[in-house]
PDB file of all heavy atoms in Angstrom:
ATOM      1  N   CYS A 390      85.076 117.591 120.350  1.00 92.00           N
ATOM      2  CA  CYS A 390      84.997 117.997 118.950  1.00 92.00           C
ATOM      3  C   CYS A 390      86.391 118.061 118.321  1.00 92.00           C
ATOM      4  O   CYS A 390      87.245 118.799 118.788  1.00 92.00           O
ATOM      5  CB  CYS A 390      84.321 119.348 118.830  1.00 92.00           C
ATOM      6  SG  CYS A 390      84.274 119.908 117.121  1.00 92.00           S
ATOM      7  N   VAL A 392      87.378 119.335 115.608  1.00 92.00           N
ATOM      8  CA  VAL A 392      87.706 120.526 114.815  1.00 92.00           C
ATOM      9  C   VAL A 392      87.351 121.831 115.534  1.00 92.00           C
ATOM     10  O   VAL A 392      87.256 122.877 114.916  1.00 92.00           O
ATOM     11  CB  VAL A 392      86.997 120.478 113.441  1.00 92.00           C
ATOM     12  CG1 VAL A 392      87.654 119.456 112.550  1.00 92.00           C
ATOM     13  CG2 VAL A 392      85.522 120.187 113.591  1.00 92.00           C
ATOM     14  N   CYS A 411      82.239 122.408 111.442  1.00 94.00           N
ATOM     15  CA  CYS A 411      81.693 121.103 111.824  1.00 94.00           C
ATOM     16  C   CYS A 411      81.849 120.092 110.685  1.00 94.00           C
ATOM     17  O   CYS A 411      81.615 120.407 109.525  1.00 94.00           O
ATOM     18  CB  CYS A 411      80.217 121.267 112.168  1.00 94.00           C
ATOM     19  SG  CYS A 411      79.415 119.755 112.670  1.00 94.00           S
ATOM     20  N   ILE A 412      82.278 118.886 111.044  1.00 92.00           N
ATOM     21  CA  ILE A 412      82.346 117.819 110.048  1.00 92.00           C
ATOM     22  C   ILE A 412      81.230 116.796 110.270  1.00 92.00           C
ATOM     23  O   ILE A 412      81.240 115.719 109.682  1.00 92.00           O
ATOM     24  CB  ILE A 412      83.725 117.123 110.051  1.00 92.00           C
ATOM     25  CG1 ILE A 412      84.061 116.605 111.447  1.00 92.00           C
ATOM     26  CG2 ILE A 412      84.814 118.078 109.559  1.00 92.00           C
ATOM     27  CD1 ILE A 412      85.179 115.590 111.457  1.00 92.00           C
ATOM     28  N   PHE A 413      80.290 117.111 111.120  1.00 92.00           N
ATOM     29  CA  PHE A 413      79.089 116.296 111.322  1.00 92.00           C
ATOM     30  C   PHE A 413      79.445 114.853 111.703  1.00 92.00           C
ATOM     31  O   PHE A 413      78.879 113.900 111.194  1.00 92.00           O
ATOM     32  CB  PHE A 413      78.198 116.346 110.069  1.00 92.00           C
ATOM     33  CG  PHE A 413      77.778 117.752 109.747  1.00 92.00           C
ATOM     34  CD1 PHE A 413      78.595 118.589 109.002  1.00 92.00           C
ATOM     35  CD2 PHE A 413      76.588 118.246 110.233  1.00 92.00           C
ATOM     36  CE1 PHE A 413      78.226 119.907 108.741  1.00 92.00           C
ATOM     37  CE2 PHE A 413      76.208 119.562 109.981  1.00 92.00           C
ATOM     38  CZ  PHE A 413      77.035 120.394 109.224  1.00 92.00           C
ATOM     39  N   CYS A 414      80.422 114.764 112.620  1.00 90.00           N
ATOM     40  CA  CYS A 414      80.944 113.435 112.943  1.00 90.00           C
ATOM     41  C   CYS A 414      80.187 112.778 114.078  1.00 90.00           C
ATOM     42  O   CYS A 414      80.253 111.558 114.255  1.00 90.00           O
ATOM     43  CB  CYS A 414      82.421 113.531 113.311  1.00 90.00           C
ATOM     44  SG  CYS A 414      82.717 114.450 114.830  1.00 90.00           S
ATOM     45  N   GLY A 415      79.496 113.560 114.897  1.00 88.00           N
ATOM     46  CA  GLY A 415      78.738 112.958 115.992  1.00 88.00           C
ATOM     47  C   GLY A 415      79.548 112.733 117.254  1.00 88.00           C
ATOM     48  O   GLY A 415      79.021 112.220 118.240  1.00 88.00           O
ATOM     49  N   CYS A 417      80.550 114.825 119.410  1.00 89.00           N
ATOM     50  CA  CYS A 417      80.005 115.612 120.525  1.00 89.00           C
ATOM     51  C   CYS A 417      78.833 114.874 121.160  1.00 89.00           C
ATOM     52  O   CYS A 417      78.715 114.793 122.379  1.00 89.00           O
ATOM     53  CB  CYS A 417      79.587 116.992 120.037  1.00 89.00           C
ATOM     54  SG  CYS A 417      78.578 116.981 118.549  1.00 89.00           S
ATOM     55  N   PHE A 428      71.010 116.257 116.486  1.00 87.00           N
ATOM     56  CA  PHE A 428      71.214 116.588 115.085  1.00 87.00           C
ATOM     57  C   PHE A 428      69.833 116.621 114.451  1.00 87.00           C
ATOM     58  O   PHE A 428      69.085 115.652 114.557  1.00 87.00           O
ATOM     59  CB  PHE A 428      72.062 115.513 114.403  1.00 87.00           C
ATOM     60  CG  PHE A 428      73.499 115.533 114.828  1.00 87.00           C
ATOM     61  CD1 PHE A 428      73.900 114.895 115.982  1.00 87.00           C
ATOM     62  CD2 PHE A 428      74.442 116.205 114.073  1.00 87.00           C
ATOM     63  CE1 PHE A 428      75.219 114.927 116.387  1.00 87.00           C
ATOM     64  CE2 PHE A 428      75.767 116.231 114.474  1.00 87.00           C
ATOM     65  CZ  PHE A 428      76.158 115.593 115.628  1.00 87.00           C
TER      66      PHE A 428
HETATM   67  S1  SF4 C1172      79.444 116.828 114.927  1.00 67.39           S
HETATM   68 FE1  SF4 C1172      81.656 116.526 115.222  1.00 67.39          FE
HETATM   69  S2  SF4 C1172      82.559 118.318 114.241  1.00 67.39           S
HETATM   70 FE2  SF4 C1172      80.394 118.819 114.516  1.00 67.39          FE
HETATM   71  S3  SF4 C1172      80.291 119.887 116.479  1.00 67.39           S
HETATM   72 FE3  SF4 C1172      79.928 117.721 116.936  1.00 67.39          FE
HETATM   73  S4  SF4 C1172      81.981 116.901 117.397  1.00 67.39           S
HETATM   74 FE4  SF4 C1172      82.300 118.888 116.396  1.00 67.39          FE
END
Side-chain angles (χ1 to χ4, degrees):
Chain A
C390 178
V392 287
C411 181
I412 55 164
F413 301 85
C414 66
C417 49
F428 288 84

